[in-house]
Amino acid sequence: MFGAMKKLFARDCGPADGKVTLDDVLRRNWFELWYQPKIDLRTMRLIGAEALVRARHPNGKMVPPGVFLPGASEQQMLALTERVILQALRDWEACAAHGVSVKFSVNVPVSALVKLPIPRMLREERPRSKSWPGLIMEVTEDEIIHDLQIANEVAAALRTFNCTLALDDFGAGYSSLARLRQLPFSELKIDRSYVMNCNSDKLNAGLCETIVELGKRVGLKTVAEGIETWHECHKLQAVGCDIGQGYLFAKPMPLGQLIGMMCARLTAAPAAAVSQTAPGDFIPKFIR
């Protein structure tokens, strides 16, 4: 259950006073979704964003998921997942109301694919706009690799609503190539442990290149997580990785900040060449 939620843990959230549980977050409505941009590594433009859970304590501090997720029951995790999906659908409509659109992805535990009425939720709650690009649901390799039948059944149901599955933390679960061909995914997300220092670590460089080539052979896009340096970015571009996300481009941010940056880009004059020494100024220049 916690495997699919591990990326909800954030290094940039400060501690909050006192003990906070997931029940507190849900019952007291402290829940928020923040978004980390996903960048097309060929065009260097923003093409999506991953939704990440945050909790805002009444004292104003952000509570890290590492505080409130451990010890949560399965029912609480399912309730959280349901809220994440519905909030992401509403957040897309908030973006569209400002004239901007981006494809969101959300983290979903495998149990939620079975125990939540996700197709019904999408049928009833999805945006009705023809420009809605759909939703990506990320599941971790180590959870889904043992449930291929479930993955295929869910993928078929989601496809009706323009939603796809992404295989998260690829490489960590050591799935066989034969099994990978059976998985109905649209993206392979390269585990950040392989992305780290891939420009200088020969083993990581080889693993990233192998995964990218594998993705191309089976018709899947590859997404590198946790990019933190220009050297890593350049290496991933060189091996043909499709999409990147990480602190080099942007930390997770509230929806309002994401919308503000996209709107600023739409109204701004064409940007000059980007300085590679100022990552903090990076993202606004790449928003469509």
Side-chain angles (χ1 to χ4, degrees):
M1 173 66 74
F2 286 100
M5 294 298 181
K6 70 178 183 179
K7 290 196 305 168
L8 303 181
F9 290 64
R11 294 176 298 171
D12 55 325
C13 287
D17 297 329
K19 181 177 176 59
V20 176
T21 66
L22 179 53
D23 182 64
D24 293 327
V25 172
L26 297 173
R27 182 166 46 82
R28 300 181 181 182
N29 200 30
W30 295 347
F31 164 86
E32 291 186 10
L33 273 189
W34 286 28
Y35 292 89
Q36 185 171 36
K38 296 168 67 176
I39 305 299
D40 186 316
L41 293 180
R42 290 183 296 268
T43 64
M44 300 305 287
R45 293 184 179 275
L46 187 148
I47 60 168
E50 179 180 356
L52 300 167
V53 169
R54 299 291 185 268
R56 188 178 298 278
H57 194 275
N59 64 15
K61 293 183 179 180
M62 298 304 296
V63 184
V67 170
F68 62 82
L69 285 186
S73 68
E74 181 181 33
Q75 287 304 312
Q76 290 170 341
M77 295 295 285
L78 290 173
L80 174 63
T81 302
E82 181 174 11
R83 187 170 298 191
V84 167
I85 293 172
L86 295 177
Q87 187 64 52
L89 297 175
R90 290 192 291 267
D91 285 351
W92 184 87
E93 293 184 312
C95 288
H98 287 83
V100 295
S101 176
V102 64
K103 192 168 188 176
F104 290 146
S105 60
V106 298
N107 293 280
V108 177
V110 170
S111 62
L113 299 180
V114 178
K115 297 183 177 181
L116 286 181
I118 295 178
R120 178 173 61 78
M121 291 162 56
L122 293 172
R123 182 175 63 252
E124 297 176 357
E125 303 294 340
R126 75 186 189 282
R128 293 302 191 259
S129 170
K130 292 182 179 180
S131 62
W132 182 54
L135 185 70
I136 299 173
M137 297 189 182
E138 300 182 8
V139 294
T140 57
E141 178 191 10
D142 60 345
E143 286 191 338
I144 197 63
I145 197 63
H146 305 295
D147 295 292
L148 298 182
Q149 183 176 353
I150 291 175
N152 280 282
E153 290 174 355
V154 170
L158 295 180
R159 203 173 296 122
T160 303
F161 305 106
N162 196 26
C163 294
T164 59
L165 297 177
L167 190 60
D168 199 9
D169 296 341
F170 182 71
Y174 309 105
S175 63
S176 69
L177 301 186
R179 302 194 85 183
L180 177 63
R181 292 178 63 87
Q182 303 173 48
L183 296 174
F185 294 98
S186 60
E187 293 182 351
L188 291 181
K189 300 200 74 175
I190 305 172
D191 190 81
R192 63 170 299 185
S193 64
Y194 299 159
V195 172
M196 187 183 305
N197 300 320
C198 63
N199 59 293
S200 57
D201 185 309
K202 291 184 178 180
L203 177 59
N204 278 4
L207 289 168
C208 286
E209 187 168 1
T210 298
I211 293 172
V212 169
E213 178 61 25
L214 175 61
K216 292 182 185 299
R217 288 183 179 275
V218 297
L220 303 180
K221 291 184 178 180
T222 48
V223 183
E225 300 183 278
I227 302 175
E228 296 196 354
T229 71
W230 282 107
H231 297 298
E232 293 168 351
C233 180
H234 292 159
K235 179 62 179 179
L236 290 161
Q237 288 173 318
V239 301
C241 185
D242 298 302
I243 300 168
Q245 65 181 96
Y247 280 18
L248 173 66
F249 307 120
K251 294 182 179 181
M253 63 189 72
L255 179 68
Q257 184 178 344
L258 182 67
I259 291 175
M261 289 196 311
M262 290 191 290
C263 289
R265 176 56 181 167
L266 289 175
T267 58
V274 178
S275 167
Q276 295 189 2
T277 61
D281 297 330
F282 188 77
I283 278 292
K285 298 179 174 63
F286 296 134
I287 303 207
R288 291 188 184 277

